[in-house]
Amino acid sequence: MNIRRFETTDAEAVSALVIKTLRISNAKDYPAELMEEIVKSMQPQNILERAGWTHFYVVEDNDTIIGCGAIGPYWGKEDESSLFTIFVLPEYQGKGVGRFIMETLEKDEFFLRAKRIEIPASITGCQFYRKFGYDYKNGKAELDEERLYRLEKFRTPAILAIKAIERDNIPECTEVIRTSFMTVADEFGFTVENAPRFVAFATTDDKLYSQFDSEHRPMYGYFSENGRIIGYYSLLLLENNECELNNLCVLPEYRHKNIGGALFADACTKAKDKGCDKLVFSIVEENEKLRKWYEKHGAVHTYTKKFDFFPFTCGYMEKSL
């Protein structure tokens, strides 16, 4: 049994799972006519729409989808989230599948950033959710107009931290760098054949171990609440009181949350603390969006250079510290 993120090709199977569960498990608590009204809103297209704005997960057993669940923002709020569409096939209920789904959802980014999480709970599932610490919203144990209980849980999000990388973290750092820079490769058409020395293809555990052990490069990671590394950068001290910034990156699913900005600010602080008065680095010159992002954070563009082994132009930038 494994759990993974929803794919568009799962829509029909998930819809069938939900509808079967509604008609069997939920029917004992609700009239059949109401279940059939809900069935109309659980068609494949409805599932696709919900998956478009939530983090939707499915549980598989021998390639058969047996459970599902989703988490997303509560009415667009960044500090409140809601759980949705948690269903387990009747024949798999009571075997830990629902707990597996809940544990996964409570490790998701939307959960970890939230101060409050709400669940629109059916009569059928209400007591199951209460076992996970969810209680009646505003203390009112009553059904709403949709014949659902509104449950909620309050939590204090942990402060995510930028910390020095330990040697044991190297393999995870390699994966973070390769995954992060692969989006650039895909956007600009870089491949291992036409750009074998591009970061997404050239970064290996051995290379980072060498930088850590032999070059003694300071390396830093942005750690999530559960200890996962979701961002990274390293520094290389140069002559003339300069410091080179390398491989600043953020995993795709964690972008647009100012994690990159926090890493860049931290790199500037760390470089200055080491006696440097200038931070220098290079980018893909054709990546205008990234250049503007660094300029917004106080860096200036200095020059460009073309290398035969790259199908792009290297742009060089710096920031005075």
Side-chain angles (χ1 to χ4, degrees):
M1 185 171 67
N2 70 289
I3 193 164
R4 61 171 174 79
R5 288 289 289 272
F6 174 92
E7 299 174 357
T8 56
T9 52
D10 298 326
E12 289 193 12
V14 171
S15 173
L17 177 160
V18 172
I19 291 171
K20 180 178 180 179
T21 307
L22 285 169
R23 286 172 171 167
I24 296 176
S25 299
N26 293 69
K28 66 179 183 293
D29 297 309
Y30 293 95
E33 315 85 73
L34 178 58
M35 288 297 93
E36 290 308 308
E37 284 300 312
I38 297 175
V39 161
K40 294 177 183 178
S41 66
M42 292 294 178
Q43 300 303 309
Q45 185 56 41
N46 304 116
I47 300 297
L48 284 171
E49 290 173 1
R50 176 155 291 181
W53 58 272
T54 64
H55 289 174
F56 206 118
Y57 295 84
V58 297
V59 180
E60 290 181 315
D61 183 42
N62 294 323
D63 297 324
T64 298
I65 295 177
I66 62 171
C68 64
I71 184 168
Y74 178 78
W75 294 104
K77 297 183 178 180
E78 292 193 0
D79 60 350
E80 295 186 70
S81 295
S82 188
L83 303 185
F84 305 96
T85 325
I86 300 173
F87 289 92
V88 177
L89 281 173
E91 58 266 37
Y92 283 90
Q93 292 172 12
K95 299 181 179 180
V97 181
R99 174 171 291 276
F100 189 24
I101 294 170
M102 289 295 292
E103 289 174 347
T104 300
L105 295 175
E106 292 195 339
K107 293 177 183 177
D108 185 89
E109 171 195 343
F110 284 133
F111 182 89
L112 298 176
R113 77 181 191 181
K115 295 179 181 178
R116 190 185 75 90
I117 302 90
E118 182 166 315
I119 303 177
S122 66
I123 299 172
T124 314
C126 182
Q127 295 309 313
F128 169 76
Y129 298 126
R130 294 196 70 200
K131 293 177 182 178
F132 289 87
Y134 294 85
D135 209 345
Y136 298 107
K137 187 175 182 179
N138 299 322
K140 297 181 179 179
E142 56 189 33
L143 295 169
D144 63 11
E145 65 278 4
E146 298 180 62
R147 301 196 68 179
L148 297 171
Y149 289 108
R150 297 288 165 171
L151 305 181
E152 63 183 358
K153 178 193 280 189
F154 291 88
R155 61 184 300 278
T156 302
I159 298 174
L160 307 186
I162 298 174
K163 299 186 292 186
I165 293 297
E166 303 289 343
R167 197 175 192 278
D168 291 346
N169 300 136
I170 294 295
E172 186 176 0
C173 292
T174 301
E175 185 62 26
V176 169
I177 295 168
R178 292 175 67 95
T179 300
S180 300
F181 280 92
M182 188 59 70
T183 61
V184 180
D186 291 340
E187 180 178 356
F188 292 95
F190 307 153
T191 66
V192 69
E193 289 77 23
N194 67 22
R197 294 172 67 173
F198 183 63
V199 181
F201 311 115
T203 302
T204 63
D205 291 351
D206 288 343
K207 184 174 182 178
L208 292 192
Y209 280 130
S210 177
Q211 293 176 355
F212 188 93
D213 295 329
S214 302
E215 299 178 16
H216 306 294
R217 292 196 188 192
M219 298 177 174
Y220 298 93
Y222 196 105
F223 288 76
S224 70
E225 182 185 46
N226 60 6
R228 182 188 182 192
I229 299 174
I230 59 178
Y232 171 91
Y233 77 84
S234 70
L235 299 172
L236 177 63
L237 301 181
L238 306 174
E239 297 178 352
N240 302 322
N241 296 323
E242 293 184 352
C243 187
E244 182 178 274
L245 173 67
N246 289 283
N247 298 339
L248 190 150
C249 60
V250 177
L251 287 173
E253 63 267 34
Y254 290 95
R255 291 172 184 168
H256 310 298
K257 303 179 187 303
N258 200 37
I259 294 174
L263 285 168
F264 187 64
D266 190 72
C268 292
T269 299
K270 293 291 196 309
K272 188 173 182 178
D273 289 345
K274 295 180 184 301
C276 300
D277 55 28
K278 185 183 294 184
L279 190 70
V280 298
F281 54 96
S282 64
I283 63 170
V284 174
E285 179 67 15
E286 289 79 2
N287 193 343
E288 296 182 5
K289 186 185 298 184
L290 182 61
R291 172 178 167 174
K292 291 179 180 178
W293 183 86
Y294 275 118
E295 289 174 339
K296 186 180 72 173
H297 287 82
V300 296
H301 190 270
T302 52
Y303 66 100
T304 62
K305 190 171 183 179
K306 192 75 175 70
F307 296 94
D308 292 339
F309 48 79
F310 280 145
F312 57 86
T313 302
C314 288
Y316 292 86
M317 304 188 74
E318 62 181 42
K319 180 176 180 179
S320 297
L321 305 176

